[in-house]
Amino acid sequence: PPRSTLFPYTTLFRSDTDLASMRQELGAAKQELETLYAALDNVRSGLLILGSDLRVHYSNPVLHTMFNVYSAKQIRQERPFYVDLLQAAASASAVNLDDYVARRLAWVASGDQAAIDLKMTNGTTLRCQLAILPGDGRMLIYSDVTDIIRNAQEMEQLATIDGMTGIYNRRHFLTLADREWDRARRYGRPLSFLMIDIDYFKAINDRFGHEIGDRAIVHVANLAGGCKRTSDVLARIGGDEFALLLPETGIIQAEAVAERLRCEVAKCPLADVAHSATISIGVAMADADMEGISDLIKMADQALFAAKRAGRNRLVRSIAPTAAPALTSVDDFEAPTENEPSKEPAFKIGT
C-alpha cells in the first residue's frame, strides 16, 4: 500500500508504545511510593505529610498511636484536611490545650520551623518539628521526648535543690539572691536576710547519732518553709545553716519572721526524740552602703555569730557602726503576711 495509507497505523503504533511506556513509568513511580511509605511506616517518630492545601497525604502508624484518631487506611482513602485531624484529636482529648486547633493551624500555615512541645493528657510530651516540602507542602514530625524532658528536669533539680531537705541549695540560692538584689536596687525596695543556724548541732550528732542530726536539719527546714511567703527564698547553704531572703521586707518585719521561726523550732521537738532543737538567727537589711548581696549575707553572718556568742536560741540584728544597739529579743513584732509588702519606708540601694 502507499506510504500515506500506512501513516495512521504508524501514528497509532507510536501512541500505543508511548502509552505502554507511560504505564511502565507510572508503575515504577507507584512502586517507589509504596517503598517510601513502607520505609516511613517503620520510622519510630510520628509522621504527617500535608499538601499545599493542608490536605493529609500520608501518616504513619506511630502517629495514630500517639493521637488515637483515624487510621493509616482512612487517611489514604479519605485524604482529610489537617484541620479535621486536629479537631478529631482535640475531641478525643488526646491533647491538653484549650485552643489547640487554632494554634496548630496557625503554626503549620506560617511555616515556622521552631519545634514545639505538646503535653498530652496521658502524661507524655511530644515534640513536633515542621519541614517545608516542595510545592509548599508540609511534613510534621512528632517525637516522644518524655524521658528527655524528665531527665532534664531531674538534672535541673539536682543542680538547684538540696537532696536532704528539698529546699534550694547554696548555688541556686545565690543565683536567685542576685536577682532579688538587682530588683531591690533598681526600684529602691527593702530587702532583708536571715542567716539561721541550729544550736549545738555537733552535740546532737554526738548524742543521738547522724540519723537524728539529719532529721533535725529536715525538721528545721520544714518549719522555716512554713514561716515564709511564696516570694521568700529559703535555702540550705551549709551543713546545719539556712538562709532566708525576704524581698519587700524591712528590718522590723524581718525580725518578726525570725522570732516566729525561732519560737516554732523551740516548741516543736523532733518526733520520737526527747530533745528540742533551738536555732540562732542573724538578721540584716540591705542599705545604700552595700555593694552586693555578699555584703548583706556577711552582715547577717556577723549578727548570727553575735547571737551564738550571746548564748544561742536568739536573734540579733546586724547594725551599722553608727546605728543604735542591736536587738537580742523580740516580743511584739508583726510578721508580714503572704505577698504583703513591707510597711516600712523603702531603703534605696545605691543610685
Side-chain angles (χ1 to χ4, degrees):
R3 179 182 178 88
S4 58
T5 60
L6 293 176
F7 182 76
Y9 300 100
T10 304
T11 304
L12 180 61
F13 177 75
R14 288 177 179 174
S15 297
D16 289 342
T17 302
D18 291 343
L19 183 59
S21 177
M22 289 176 61
R23 287 175 177 171
Q24 185 176 3
E25 291 176 0
L26 286 173
K30 183 179 180 181
Q31 182 61 46
E32 289 179 2
L33 186 61
E34 291 299 325
T35 301
L36 176 60
Y37 283 167
L40 296 179
D41 283 347
N42 287 280
V43 173
R44 295 185 178 182
S45 297
L47 299 177
L48 186 66
I49 297 178
L50 309 174
S52 59
D53 57 354
L54 299 187
R55 187 184 287 275
V56 180
H57 284 223
Y58 168 82
S59 61
N60 70 347
V62 174
L63 183 82
H64 304 289
T65 301
M66 290 176 169
F67 288 94
N68 300 316
V69 292
Y70 283 88
S71 65
K73 183 177 180 180
Q74 284 179 297
I75 291 292
R76 295 189 187 185
Q77 289 179 346
E78 301 176 19
R79 294 289 176 90
F81 284 100
Y82 181 53
V83 66
D84 299 326
L85 209 62
L86 290 175
Q87 290 171 344
S91 63
S93 299
V95 292
N96 199 20
L97 295 172
D98 293 337
D99 55 347
Y100 174 72
V101 174
R103 290 175 59 184
R104 293 300 303 233
L105 269 176
W107 176 68
V108 171
S110 70
D112 185 358
Q113 297 186 46
I116 64 172
D117 288 348
L118 298 174
K119 291 187 179 297
M120 311 300 286
T121 53
N122 62 3
T124 61
T125 301
L126 302 181
R127 178 160 296 165
C128 183
Q129 295 174 291
L130 182 147
I132 300 177
L133 302 178
D136 205 30
R138 302 286 191 268
M139 181 171 69
L140 304 182
I141 307 165
Y142 296 86
S143 303
D144 190 335
V145 294
T146 307
D147 290 340
I148 295 174
I149 291 179
R150 183 183 297 117
N151 291 338
Q153 291 172 340
E154 290 175 356
M155 291 297 292
E156 181 180 2
Q157 184 172 9
L158 288 173
T160 60
I161 301 299
D162 176 62
M164 180 185 295
T165 61
I167 61 178
Y168 291 134
N169 59 23
R170 180 185 183 90
R171 178 180 178 182
H172 193 55
F173 171 80
L174 292 175
T175 299
L176 298 178
D178 278 333
R179 294 176 188 171
E180 288 297 337
W181 175 272
D182 290 341
R183 190 181 69 85
R185 182 185 182 94
R186 184 179 304 112
Y187 299 108
R189 303 304 301 164
L191 180 67
S192 295
F193 176 72
L194 309 184
M195 183 73 82
I196 307 160
D197 187 81
I198 300 176
D199 296 328
Y200 302 109
F201 183 71
K202 184 177 183 304
I204 294 175
N205 271 336
D206 292 343
R207 179 180 176 185
F208 299 105
H210 289 283
E211 181 182 351
I212 299 301
D214 290 348
R215 286 173 54 188
I217 291 173
V218 174
H219 180 64
V220 171
N222 291 338
L223 292 175
C227 290
K228 80 176 192 70
R229 301 163 299 179
T230 303
S231 57
D232 300 334
V233 183
L234 175 65
R236 180 187 177 204
I237 59 174
D240 61 324
E241 258 188 348
F242 302 88
L244 181 57
L245 189 67
L246 306 170
E248 298 290 340
T249 305
I251 193 66
I252 301 300
Q253 287 183 309
E255 287 180 309
V257 173
E259 178 64 7
R260 186 173 66 187
L261 175 57
R262 186 194 66 80
C263 291
E264 284 293 318
V265 174
K267 74 180 182 182
C268 296
L270 287 168
D272 303 325
V273 179
H275 180 81
S276 294
T278 61
I279 57 174
S280 297
I281 306 174
V283 185
M285 178 178 169
D287 62 39
D289 294 328
M290 295 179 182
E291 296 183 357
I293 191 66
S294 60
D295 290 340
L296 180 60
I297 294 174
K298 181 179 180 180
M299 294 295 289
D301 198 39
Q302 291 174 349
L304 173 63
F305 181 76
K308 293 285 189 181
R309 189 171 53 190
R312 296 177 171 82
N313 190 24
R314 66 192 65 216
L315 64 94
V316 169
R317 178 204 296 188
S318 175
I319 57 171
T322 58
L327 295 176
T328 56
S329 64
V330 178
D331 297 319
D332 300 315
F333 291 117
E334 182 181 354
T337 57
E338 183 71 25
N339 296 323
E340 177 188 2
S342 171
K343 297 177 182 178
E344 300 178 52
F347 285 74
K348 188 178 178 78
I349 306 172
T351 57

